[in-house]
Amino acid sequence: MKSVRQPRQWLYRLAAAALSATACLASYAAEPPIKIGLVAALSGQSAKSGEALTRGLTVAINEINAAGGVKGRQLELVRRDDESNPGKGMLAARELIQREKVAMLFGGLDTPVSLAIVPLANQLKMPFMGIWAAGTGITHNGAQENYAFRVSAVDELVDEALINYGVNKTGMKKPGMILVNNPWGESNEKGFRVALEKRQLPIAGVERIEDSDVDLVPQLTRLKNAGADTLLMVGNVGPSAQVVKSLHKMGWQVPVVSHWGPAGGRFSELAGPGAGRVTFIQTFVFTDRNTPKGDAVLNALKQQYPAIKTLADVTPAVGIANAYDAMHLAALAMEKAAGLDGPAIRAGFYQIDDYQGLIKHYRQPFSAQQHDALGPDDYVFAHFVGEQIVPVTP
């Protein structure tokens, strides 16, 4: 009996060990994903840009998950629509942080929305990554512990670049400003004034536009009568399109040098045949000749989204590129972090040494003093040709 009982005992032990190993593997496999939050305009005139941010994040997350995820866990994107409304954006951010328990929060298109979210993110110690809105105060927010990072343009740097372009390319000597009437427009007016004062250039005037405006002839007429030889424009898709339509109505062929608002949606459709006259700034443009990384991302986009057939279908590329690079940098920060709490991830951003991104090769992109990964050398100028955004020929 003893000789029979002993093999059975070993069989029982082996079975128990197998069950234990299976349970461990099941437990590992069932470990919940790390949630990544996105608050952006997913409806309305800027919905196309919100979709671009979603696509950039999704392609990056797919790559990260295919390579094993972060700390052995998969990433999961959770989105909320802010409808370009600061109050709704802040409520959406609070829900993602407190109810969905996201590890990182990504912010979308509108500077006023991001400016509403940043104090909440700093208060709750939630890393916030800006991937479109360019207001200087988003990252330069004065907080003792700043949790706002950005892979996007920065107004004060963009303003300098726009003035430089106007002087060198359009012969600008007396610009007029036409700016959206919100904190984004105010931020850029300050930057424009600083850049113009450095060059001792006069200002023809400053006019404000509202999202609801449908006729801007009165504002533009005042700028024309004041002798404006170039328009410096800041506004999202709708207001920018109304500027172009009103210029066409007036027959005024003044150069328009713009922030990147026109790239944010159906500008070529809304502005009509004058859309191509507006030159605007970008951080990235897909072309017929991309880097190997650019071709790889473009191919991934076409596989993930079958509706993408041509380069015009990936407009605005800037949203895709900013979001893609920002997600990979955030994954590196989380991987380097001691844990997945906010302070640990924030410290992880400062430990990033090197990343070959879509927009550029990042080398130590963040520090305690610098939360913006892109600078003026990373900007390009573009315009619409039909429905496609194309770099301006130097």
Side-chain angles (χ1 to χ4, degrees):
M1 294 295 294
K2 192 173 182 180
S3 61
V4 174
R5 198 175 290 145
Q6 190 170 3
R8 286 180 178 175
Q9 289 175 344
W10 278 108
L11 285 173
Y12 294 152
R13 290 174 184 171
L14 286 171
L19 286 171
S20 177
T22 302
C24 287
L25 288 172
S27 174
Y28 180 81
E31 194 169 6
I34 299 170
K35 291 185 178 181
I36 304 298
L38 170 64
V39 178
L42 304 176
S43 60
Q45 290 182 335
S46 296
K48 190 173 182 179
S49 294
E51 182 61 26
L53 299 179
T54 299
R55 290 176 174 182
L57 291 173
T58 299
V59 169
I61 286 172
N62 288 345
E63 291 177 358
I64 294 162
N65 286 342
V70 171
K71 297 185 183 299
R73 294 169 61 182
Q74 299 285 281
L75 302 180
E76 176 187 332
L77 180 63
V78 185
R79 304 187 305 161
R80 293 292 182 271
D81 186 2
D82 62 35
E83 301 178 32
S84 296
N85 182 296
K88 291 182 179 180
M90 190 165 65
L91 288 174
R94 188 178 290 277
E95 181 201 353
L96 288 171
I97 295 168
Q98 296 182 328
R99 183 178 298 177
E100 294 292 341
K101 307 296 183 185
V102 297
M104 276 278 308
L105 185 63
F106 285 73
L109 302 169
D110 301 274
T111 288
V113 177
S114 292
L115 289 174
I117 291 173
V118 165
L120 177 68
N122 283 333
Q123 176 191 352
L124 299 180
K125 301 184 184 300
M126 167 57 57
F128 174 82
M129 175 63 79
I131 48 177
W132 189 293
T136 303
I138 293 168
T139 48
H140 297 257
N141 54 57
Q144 185 174 359
E145 291 188 1
N146 184 8
Y147 280 79
F149 297 83
R150 178 162 46 193
V151 178
S152 185
V154 184
D155 277 346
E156 64 180 20
L157 303 179
V158 168
D159 297 334
E160 175 68 27
L162 293 177
I163 297 296
N164 191 57
Y165 184 91
V167 169
N168 293 327
K169 300 297 183 180
T170 75
M172 181 179 74
K173 295 180 180 178
K174 191 178 182 182
M177 302 182 205
I178 187 151
L179 314 172
V180 65
N181 189 23
N182 66 20
W184 186 35
E186 294 167 7
S187 171
N188 284 280
E189 181 182 351
K190 293 177 183 176
F192 284 143
R193 287 187 179 277
V194 170
L196 290 169
E197 286 172 8
K198 281 168 53 177
R199 295 165 174 81
Q200 297 183 329
L201 290 177
I203 300 170
V206 180
E207 295 291 338
R208 303 289 179 184
I209 51 178
E210 304 286 348
D211 286 343
S212 58
D213 284 342
V214 294
D215 184 4
L216 298 171
V217 170
Q219 294 97 314
L220 292 169
T221 298
R222 286 192 291 269
L223 293 175
K224 182 180 181 181
N225 291 340
D229 59 10
T230 299
L231 292 184
L232 299 172
M233 185 171 72
V234 177
N236 284 326
V237 177
S240 297
Q242 293 301 334
V243 170
V244 173
K245 290 169 72 175
S246 295
L247 287 172
H248 180 72
K249 187 186 300 184
M250 294 169 62
W252 188 18
Q253 298 298 317
V254 64
V256 183
V257 181
S258 174
H259 209 311
W260 61 11
R266 299 180 295 120
F267 179 72
S268 59
E269 172 190 338
L270 295 172
R277 67 186 295 180
V278 179
T279 301
F280 50 88
I281 208 161
Q282 298 279 266
T283 55
F284 183 83
V285 179
F286 284 108
T287 68
D288 293 323
R289 294 182 179 180
N290 303 297
T291 64
K293 172 80 78 171
D295 284 336
V297 173
L298 187 58
N299 289 334
L301 285 165
K302 290 178 177 179
Q303 291 178 9
Q304 180 79 20
Y305 304 98
I308 296 177
K309 305 295 184 184
T310 68
L311 291 176
D313 298 325
V314 293
T315 299
V318 61
I320 293 170
N322 289 356
Y324 176 88
D325 279 1
M327 186 65 251
H328 274 288
L329 289 168
L332 287 173
M334 288 187 284
E335 196 66 59
K336 291 177 177 294
L340 290 177
D341 58 288
I345 294 173
R346 176 172 172 263
F349 276 108
Y350 304 146
Q351 298 174 42
I352 299 173
D353 295 320
D354 185 89
Y355 169 63
Q356 180 62 59
L358 178 58
I359 297 173
K360 70 171 188 177
H361 191 171
Y362 298 85
R363 294 180 175 87
Q364 295 183 324
F366 301 109
S367 69
Q369 294 75 36
Q370 178 57 268
H371 280 209
D372 283 291
L374 299 181
D377 293 338
D378 305 313
Y379 302 155
V380 295
F381 284 89
H383 64 149
F384 274 95
V385 175
E387 295 183 354
Q388 184 178 334
I389 294 175
V390 175
V392 173
T393 303

